[in-house]
Amino acid sequence: MIRPVFFDFSALNMGGVVCRNWMLGILLFLAGCAGPGFRQEDVTTVIIQPASEQIEVAHEPFVLVGRLAVNARKHHFSGGIRWQHTGQSDEIYLFSPLGQIVAEISRDQMGVRLITSEPAVYQAQNAEYLTSQVLGWELPLAGMQFWVRGTHFPGTVAEKDLDKNKRTLAIRQDGWRIVYQNYYPARENMSALPRLLEFSRMDVKMKLIVDQWQGETRNDVAVDKALP
C-alpha cells in the first residue's frame, strides 16, 4: 500500500546539475536522434537463459548523470536525472529543465520511497509499481540497473542483438525493448559505456542521454555534454 506523508523537501540541495544550453538540448533531444548505423548482416541475435549466479553484477556501483525524456499516455517528463547505485541501494533524483527537484526515488532493503515536490512521501515494495502509481509512468528499476550498463538482467530470459564486436545493439526483455543508439569510446581495462539509450514497452517510451559516468574507484570515466 502507498502511504503519503509530509516531508521537508527544502533540505535537499542538488545544485550544479543544470548544464549550459539546457533548453536547446532538451528540444533537440525530444526531436529524436539518428539510429545506430549498422548493416543487418553484422547483427547477431542470441537468446540468454536466466543465470542467478550473474546477479553480482548488480553490486557494482555507479553514478550516472544525464537527461531523461518520458512519453506515456497522458503523462510526460523531460529533465535531468542523477542516479547513484550500489548493490544495496539506489538514489535517483529527477530534475526540471531549470534544475528544481521534481522527485527523489530511493531504494534500500526496506523497500522504495518516492518524494515529490509538494512535498509528500510515498512508499511501496518496488519502484515499478510506485512510479506507475505516483508519476503515471513506470521506471523499470530492476532491469534498468543492468540495461544502462549495456547488459541484460540475468534473472529472466533476454534476447540480445550484438554487433560484430559483441557490443550490445538492443535488448528485448520482460516486455521492454532497449535500443543502444550511441556509446562512449572504450577505455583501457574498461568496456564502452552507453551514451544514448531508448526504452519502450507498449505505450511507454523513454530516452536517456548519459552526460557523465562515475565509478567508485575512479573519477569521471566518461563525460560528454554534447548531443549526438
Side-chain angles (χ1 to χ4, degrees):
M1 179 179 295
I2 297 177
R3 302 188 295 276
V5 298
F6 291 107
F7 181 80
D8 182 9
F9 201 71
S10 63
L12 294 173
N13 180 10
M14 299 296 295
V17 299
V18 182
C19 59
R20 291 180 298 178
N21 299 323
W22 175 271
M23 294 304 295
L24 177 60
I26 285 293
L27 289 174
L28 291 173
F29 178 38
L30 292 174
C33 301
F38 55 85
R39 297 177 301 174
Q40 189 62 39
E41 57 266 28
D42 293 334
V43 179
T44 300
T45 299
V46 296
I47 306 296
I48 303 175
Q49 298 299 323
S52 58
E53 67 272 10
Q54 296 179 8
I55 292 185
E56 63 266 14
V57 175
H59 295 281
E60 298 176 2
F62 66 80
V63 178
L64 175 159
V65 179
R67 288 159 282 172
L68 178 68
V70 181
N71 188 348
R73 294 183 182 178
K74 299 179 181 180
H75 300 277
H76 307 276
F77 171 80
S78 62
I81 180 172
R82 184 184 188 278
W83 180 359
Q84 182 171 348
H85 169 81
T86 72
Q88 293 75 38
S89 66
D90 288 282
E91 188 175 77
I92 300 172
Y93 289 92
L94 300 178
F95 300 91
S96 74
L98 297 179
Q100 293 90 356
I101 297 175
V102 175
E104 176 196 354
I105 304 164
S106 57
R107 177 195 66 87
D108 57 26
Q109 295 178 347
M110 302 300 293
V112 181
R113 182 178 66 175
L114 192 155
I115 307 171
T116 63
S117 57
E118 278 77 4
V121 175
Y122 301 87
Q123 294 178 317
Q125 289 302 305
N126 64 74
E128 289 78 5
Y129 174 78
L130 187 59
T131 53
S132 177
Q133 294 296 308
V134 178
L135 302 179
W137 48 274
E138 178 183 329
L139 185 72
L141 185 60
M144 203 169 178
Q145 60 184 296
F146 296 90
W147 300 335
V148 296
R149 288 181 278 193
T151 189
H152 64 286
F153 169 58
T156 60
V157 176
E159 184 176 292
K160 299 175 70 174
D161 294 339
L162 306 174
D163 67 13
K164 60 184 179 181
N165 297 316
K166 305 302 182 182
R167 189 171 65 178
T168 304
L169 299 173
I171 296 175
R172 290 169 292 278
Q173 187 171 32
D174 297 330
W176 287 90
R177 182 172 183 262
I178 304 94
V179 177
Y180 296 84
Q181 303 278 7
N182 203 306
Y183 279 83
Y184 284 99
R187 296 192 177 190
E188 185 177 358
N189 299 321
M190 186 177 67
S191 59
L193 290 168
R195 178 172 178 244
L196 173 59
L197 307 88
E198 182 176 299
F199 309 84
S200 58
R201 190 181 75 171
M202 296 178 65
D203 53 0
V204 180
K205 187 173 183 179
M206 299 188 290
K207 286 186 178 181
L208 173 65
I209 290 179
V210 181
D211 291 320
Q212 183 174 331
W213 280 103
Q214 294 177 347
E216 184 179 57
T217 59
R218 60 182 73 185
N219 293 324
D220 299 347
V221 296
V223 178
D224 188 353
K225 296 196 176 176
L227 285 166

